Amino acid sequence: MHWRNTSSVYGLTSILLHWLSALVVFGMFGLGWWMVGLDYYSSWYRTAPDLHKGIGLLLLAVTLLRLLWRLVNPRPATLPEHGPLTRLAAHAGHWLLYLLLFGVLISGYLISTADGRGIDVFGLFQVQALISGLPRQGDIAGQVHEILAWSLVILAVLHALAALKHHFIDRDATLRRMFGRP
Ligand code: HEM
């Protein structure tokens, strides 16, 4: 398998980036849900949000890299058995997934930086608060973050169901290609 995409299959880099971000998105949704219900006296009360913020910023970097990689690689051609409606739905769905990913990550950043403090990423580096002190920034960003996170996870589940339908019902190569099989 090659690192780069070809005109018929995804390369190892795109595949690893796809499955890594799928894992992180579902994991972060679970972590976020669990974290907001934590009691002040729990030993995770501070650690869980630090973990959530650190992973979120790393996912933002990975997503930017992923888009850059997409830009400099050929895109595997659409399968001939996919009609125009399937192509349109897949294309729109993929861009909406990217859009929601950025929306969730940026709104999360705006919650954390509302009070002007930067975000420490696992003690490795600090990300400055570029935007802070907007009226009700924390509250509004928090609400937007929750709505977008739900939308992202629901769309990702629909996207996964569509991939499974292609694999088990239509028996085409859509899902196989995301594992590097032609
Ligand atoms: C949070 C979870 C997920 C996100 C955010 C996500 C996002 C994406 C995006 C943005 C693409 C387009 C890649 C590109 O060409 O730039 C894509 C492709 C794909 N995804 Fe996912 N995905 C997720 C989970 C899954 C899961 C769980 C499955 C399978 C069960 C899956 C199967 C696929 C397949 C087969 C493709 C290739 C479609 C094609 O070639 O037209 N994805 N995904």
Side-chain angles (χ1 to χ4, degrees):
M1 199 193 296
H2 297 287
W3 290 103
R4 289 177 60 82
N5 298 351
T6 67
S7 54
S8 58
V9 282
Y10 287 100
L12 194 56
T13 315
S14 302
I15 292 171
L16 289 176
L17 289 172
H18 174 270
W19 292 115
L20 176 73
S21 46
L23 204 73
V24 172
V25 166
F26 285 119
M28 286 282 274
F29 186 75
L31 175 60
W33 194 342
W34 171 70
M35 164 183 115
V36 291
L38 282 176
D39 184 66
Y40 181 76
Y41 298 101
S42 160
S43 56
W44 284 96
Y45 187 77
R46 275 183 208 289
T47 324
D50 284 347
L51 205 66
H52 193 75
K53 288 186 247 182
I55 297 174
L57 283 176
L58 292 178
L59 181 61
L60 179 59
V62 165
T63 310
L64 286 170
L65 266 175
R66 186 176 170 189
L67 277 184
L68 206 72
W69 185 252
R70 190 184 200 275
L71 220 71
V72 297
N73 265 261
R75 233 188 87 65
T78 344
L79 295 172
E81 51 269 54
H82 291 177
L85 205 68
T86 308
R87 286 169 200 216
L88 184 74
H91 200 67
H94 294 163
W95 280 111
L96 195 55
L97 282 167
Y98 280 126
L99 207 71
L100 286 172
L101 255 174
F102 278 113
V104 171
L105 296 168
I106 291 167
S107 56
Y109 168 81
L110 290 175
I111 303 172
S112 306
T113 56
D115 61 3
R117 274 182 297 173
I119 303 172
D120 182 68
V121 182
F122 303 117
L124 297 173
F125 56 92
Q126 182 97 20
V127 176
Q128 298 302 310
L130 296 175
I131 303 172
S132 58
L134 297 175
R136 299 187 56 230
Q137 179 173 331
D139 285 350
I140 295 171
Q143 283 171 22
V144 170
H145 188 67
E146 190 180 344
I147 293 169
L148 294 184
W150 271 101
S151 312
L152 174 60
V153 164
I154 291 170
L155 185 62
V157 168
L158 293 177
H159 164 79
L161 289 176
L164 294 175
K165 182 220 173 238
H166 279 292
H167 189 72
F168 289 110
I169 298 178
D170 306 337
R171 296 182 176 277
D172 65 28
T174 308
L175 185 58
R176 278 201 304 275
R177 285 202 311 184
M178 239 330 152
F179 287 100
R181 318 270 302 270

